[in-house]
Amino acid sequence: LKSDVYLRALGNYSFTNEEDIYYLLQRLSTTSLKSFSKQLFMITEDLRLEAIIKRKRPGTKSAFKYRIFVYRKYFESQLKVTLVKSIYTDALFNNIFLLLTSDSPNENIPNYNEEINLVMPYIKNTITRFYETKSTKDTVKLCLELTETLEDILDQDMLNEYFHLPDKKYDDIVHDPTFDDLKRKDPLQNNDVLDKKSEGDEEVFEEEFRTWHRETSDLSKSFLQFDLDQGSGTDLLGEGVREGEAGDQALAVVQGSVQKTNKNDYSNLEVQEHKQRSNQGIEKNYGKENRFAYPIFLSLEKPTYEEEKQYREFKSTISSYQKKLKKIIEKTLEHKKIAPRTDLHFGRLRKKLLPFFTDENPRLFYKKQEPSSEIDAVFSLLVDCSASMYDKMEQTKLGITLFHEALKSVNVAHEVIGFWEDTNDATKEKQPNYFKPVIEFSTSLRNLSGPEIMQLQPEEDNRDGYAIRLMTDRLMTRFENQKFLLVFSDGEPAAFGYEQNGIVDTHEAVLQARKKGIDVINIFLSNSEIEESQKKILHDIYGNFSILVSNIEELPNVLFPILKKLLYKSIA
């Protein structure tokens, strides 16, 4: 494939550290999953290099797209074959490749044996961290971490070799020749010695070998060196060593002059380089447009009597939605729990295979494990607290109340955070971004939580891309299988120096979150008819995952089916 040429010529040559690969091979010399680990490193390192190459050479995207299409098709067929043959190590490797290259966070995970099934959530969470690797060392570290875990679970190494990582090549590369190696004398092809000893009166002929090339300025000063690798060894010594001469030197010393200048002061050069490296690190993690942005998390104040009173009124208004959703989810969980575990179209193969010959649509499978009675999901809600929300904030709080009470009633952990940027303090070198977590994961399921939502108020600007990246990092620390990020906003991003590239930066933040397995959904709030230009901007940022609410008072009616659909997705 053409993409292999790109990976080796552009990727491995410039961005792969061979010493880290040698370290990996040394560590794998004692493991029982050597082939699995080497091939896991190959696919994860290739994915890291693929992202770098596509960023530097956009013209290669079509080649890599075709590469993923071909490999996915092949590994999907291999996964079916290895599962049927119960070759679980190969099947797990095939499944990991499909998870790493999937466009959807809901890639199907087949049923393995009981030990592998128990560790699959950890495996899935670990492989998502491969998207965050910044160097070969990071990839090696994650591969070794995953290998050590699977070593106690998998009985044997991989049977097939899909990707090859040569041991000898990196051993030779890492061990560069030393100075002693350069001075070594290779042994003669015939290692024999003449019996006759020298008597001291032998005649030794000294011949001068002259050579010339384009760089030679004086023919008489050049000499030719050659190696003797064949003959018999004697104790005769010629004048093989001679003193060095000026004409033998390949390099010359140039003498010049230098004087002090008052144009530049380099006394703070080290501090400047450190600052530059720090900015580059921020840019790499949170985007070029946010390299000077930094978060400030505000602590909550105790809700006042008026805030508690207003929250009780909101809670009473949305109680019908909350009770209805709770009832639907409880029925779904109960149905899933009592659903038959035999005569299924997929699962473990039964011993009785007679229906295969007698039934038109045979059900030959069963499921062993019992379904969980809990919803394996976590939600995060970002609320735009920009100044333009002044006429929508009250109705938005009603929607947030529904979000909180509905998820609390079905025991799903969640958080609600308002965000804005301080326009007055923002400069070219610092942009403080404030985050106010009115509902936190740790307190989201408490009975008395909720009135803090009333503390959200319209503030100033909004830097959406930075906020989404920050919430993505918070969600990735959670252990739940399904992760959802909802964004309440009423317009395009607007902050200091963010007008031109804010849309692109927010779109990149959304793509990065989805690549890590987080479902990002935007709910656009408005009090009037939404213009086509605004719709196009939202589509450019969030794709088809943006819900438009032209009447803010209809927010609870819109939010209810969204929560219902997402919770259904988590249960399934």
Side-chain angles (χ1 to χ4, degrees), residues 337-362:
K337 192 171 183 179
I338 64 175
R341 311 299 293 165
T342 59
D343 298 330
L344 303 174
H345 285 297
F346 58 91
R348 291 171 173 260
L349 186 65
R350 293 191 307 170
K351 293 182 179 180
K352 297 180 181 180
L353 303 178
L354 184 61
F356 179 78
F357 303 98
T358 58
D359 296 352
E360 183 177 349
N361 188 18

Side-chain angles (χ1 to χ4, degrees), residues 39 48-49 86 91 114 123 137 174 227 298 312 317 334 342 349-350 397 405 434 460 472-473 480 511 533 536:
Q39 297 187 65
R48 184 182 73 85
L49 297 175
S86 297
E114 186 173 359
I123 295 174
K137 184 178 181 180
V174 172
D227 295 327
L298 303 177
R312 285 195 295 269
T317 304
E334 183 65 24
T342 59
L349 186 65
R350 293 191 307 170
K397 292 177 184 177
E405 290 296 330
Y434 291 88
E460 299 180 38
T472 298
D473 290 345
E480 287 84 358
L511 289 182
S533 59
K536 185 178 183 305

Side-chain angles (χ1 to χ4, degrees), residues 198-384:
S198 62
E199 298 176 357
D201 58 345
E202 292 81 8
E203 185 176 2
V204 178
F205 293 92
E206 296 286 338
E207 289 193 26
E208 185 177 359
F209 289 83
R210 296 181 180 273
T211 184
W212 179 89
H213 56 85
R214 187 174 300 171
E215 302 298 328
T216 306
S217 59
D218 188 352
L219 296 180
S220 63
K221 299 298 182 181
S222 300
F223 62 93
L224 176 67
Q225 178 182 349
F226 66 96
D227 295 327
L228 184 66
D229 62 357
Q230 197 166 358
S232 298
T234 71
D235 61 349
L236 291 175
L237 294 175
E239 296 179 4
V241 180
R242 68 179 181 86
E243 294 181 2
E245 299 176 2
D248 298 339
Q249 299 298 321
L251 300 175
V253 177
V254 179
Q255 183 176 358
S257 61
V258 64
Q259 61 183 5
K260 186 176 180 180
T261 176
N262 57 0
K263 297 297 182 183
N264 296 300
D265 179 13
Y266 295 101
S267 59
N268 295 323
L269 181 60
E270 185 177 350
V271 177
Q272 293 173 5
E273 289 179 348
H274 177 73
K275 183 177 179 181
Q276 184 179 0
R277 287 193 298 269
S278 300
N279 290 339
Q280 288 174 352
I282 295 173
E283 176 181 333
K284 196 168 186 180
N285 291 330
Y286 292 102
K288 180 180 179 182
E289 301 301 323
N290 308 307
R291 59 188 181 278
F292 297 115
Y294 59 91
I296 299 175
F297 283 86
L298 303 177
S299 57
L300 283 178
E301 299 176 359
K302 186 177 180 181
T304 63
Y305 174 77
E306 292 297 327
E307 290 172 345
E308 292 180 349
K309 179 181 178 182
Q310 186 180 12
Y311 185 76
R312 285 195 295 269
E313 292 174 357
F314 281 178
K315 186 176 177 181
S316 176
T317 304
I318 57 91
S319 61
S320 58
Y321 294 104
Q322 178 256 321
K323 292 177 181 178
K324 184 178 179 181
L325 183 63
K326 180 182 179 181
K327 191 173 182 180
I328 292 172
I329 297 302
E330 287 178 346
K331 283 186 177 180
T332 305
L333 289 172
E334 183 65 24
H335 175 73
K336 185 179 179 183
K337 192 171 183 179
I338 64 175
R341 311 299 293 165
T342 59
D343 298 330
L344 303 174
H345 285 297
F346 58 91
R348 291 171 173 260
L349 186 65
R350 293 191 307 170
K351 293 182 179 180
K352 297 180 181 180
L353 303 178
L354 184 61
F356 179 78
F357 303 98
T358 58
D359 296 352
E360 183 177 349
N361 188 18
R363 297 172 178 265
L364 305 175
F365 301 92
Y366 72 98
K367 288 188 177 181
K368 185 177 180 181
Q369 69 275 15
E370 288 294 325
S372 174
S373 60
E374 298 180 353
I375 302 174
D376 189 16
V378 63
F379 286 75
S380 183
L381 175 59
L382 262 178
V383 183
D384 175 7

